[in-house]
Amino acid sequence: MGRIVFGACDEASPASPSDIAGRSGNGSIATAGLIVGDDRPILLWRHDLGAGAVLSFDRPATGHLLYILEGTARIREGTVSAGGAIVVERGAVAEIASNGGRLMLLDFHARNIGEEADRPGGHVHVIAPPAPEGEQPDSGTRHAMFVDSTCPTCSLWLDYLEFVEGYRAPLHWHTEPEIIVVVGGELRVGTRSVKAGGIIAIDEGARYSFSAGDGGLAFINFRPRDPFYVPVRKGETPAALRELDILNGFPPPAEPSWRVEAPGVDIGRGMPTYG
């Protein structure tokens, strides 16, 4: 049975960008470990970059997904604002800088290469803040994908999910470890209340359920590869369902904007790829 670990974006252990091979920094950068325990299969760091600071990646052993929590990032000839993301695949080279003012990044990656080994890597993806792509009619659950593990050169996954107040997810587990970061509203797990900035790291096979609290719930969810969802039903052994198939089955939403307030998350989408 897997573990569930709680954390927060403002509760961290001071670290250095160079604590991970292939990652370094230049200028005013404060790096902190958010989910970095020795037993954690996937890790999460926070990087705070001052004006002119540069976070560099030089052929990292595993792919990194950087979510922009605050500010605007500059990478090569483009920029991406808060609510967007950057994927630095294993073996890729990239420099990410603040585009003036403070830049706060969440840096997700797997501890070991695992199933990334079957993808060649070497590329960088830039993803603008996504608009809702689908809505489940019965529950009102809405989603958008940043990356969905189908990329021919990387296996990473990040999605954005929004739930109406009072929504309750049934007991279930997943075939991959995950890190959830709440970006709006309230997530309730058992007796715990997790609000914006709260983090939940959930191991593969860990059974859990959750509900959306006051004002609804919005979170991002990182996995190192294509996940499957397994419901828990007494006396039954349900089949594992591919999450991408579930989400792709949602019809388009009636509204083009998110309902749950998530400061810094804008509307728009794009995914240029650099070799």
Side-chain angles (χ1 to χ4, degrees):
M1 186 70 68
R3 293 181 62 207
I4 298 177
V5 175
F6 293 85
C9 289
D10 59 356
E11 297 175 3
S13 303
S16 165
S18 59
D19 282 352
I20 294 294
R23 187 181 68 188
S24 61
N26 183 32
S28 176
I29 301 180
T31 291
L34 302 177
I35 300 290
V36 294
D38 291 341
D39 64 335
R40 297 293 85 213
I42 50 179
L43 309 180
L44 175 59
W45 310 78
R46 192 188 74 222
H47 307 293
D48 294 341
L49 282 69
V54 178
L55 181 68
S56 300
F57 291 85
D58 185 6
R59 299 173 180 84
T62 62
H64 288 249
L65 193 148
L66 297 115
Y67 178 81
I68 301 164
L69 201 60
E70 182 179 328
T72 299
R74 186 176 71 252
I75 179 165
R76 301 193 183 179
E77 70 271 23
T79 61
V80 60
S81 61
I86 298 168
V87 176
V88 180
E89 295 180 354
R90 71 182 186 93
V93 174
E95 291 187 342
I96 301 168
S98 165
N99 196 44
R102 182 186 187 192
L103 174 64
M104 185 186 298
L105 303 170
L106 297 180
D107 180 357
F108 302 84
H109 66 96
R111 180 178 295 279
N112 301 306
I113 188 169
E115 292 185 16
E116 285 187 73
D118 69 355
R119 311 285 175 95
H123 296 82
V124 176
H125 305 291
V126 179
I127 307 107
E133 296 175 0
E135 180 175 346
Q136 190 177 52
D138 294 341
S139 66
T141 300
R142 310 171 100 203
H143 88 95
M145 297 301 307
F146 290 85
V147 286
D148 62 10
S149 300
T150 62
C151 174
T153 53
C154 71
S155 65
L156 303 183
W157 168 290
L158 184 72
D159 63 340
Y160 188 108
L161 288 164
E162 181 185 74
F163 306 88
V164 299
E165 183 175 329
Y167 171 85
R168 180 174 297 277
L171 188 65
H172 65 283
W173 57 276
H174 299 279
T175 59
E176 303 298 335
E178 59 187 323
I179 294 179
I180 290 171
V181 178
V182 177
V183 296
E186 178 189 18
L187 185 152
R188 296 173 179 169
V189 180
T191 60
R192 287 182 177 261
S193 169
V194 183
K195 297 189 177 180
I199 302 166
I200 308 176
I202 304 169
D203 288 352
E204 170 189 346
R207 297 182 175 190
Y208 72 102
S209 64
F210 67 88
S211 62
D214 296 341
L217 166 65
F219 63 65
I220 55 172
N221 194 342
F222 172 80
R223 280 78 170 258
R225 49 193 169 266
D226 198 12
F228 284 69
Y229 166 95
V230 185
V232 176
R233 300 185 187 123
K234 187 175 181 179
E236 298 182 32
T237 307
L241 306 171
R242 189 185 185 206
E243 287 199 38
L244 185 58
D245 293 339
I246 296 172
L247 296 174
N248 283 344
F250 288 10
E255 303 171 32
S257 58
W258 299 105
R259 297 175 182 139
V260 177
E261 183 180 356
V265 177
D266 301 316
I267 300 303
R269 186 181 172 109
M271 189 174 176
T273 299
Y274 304 108

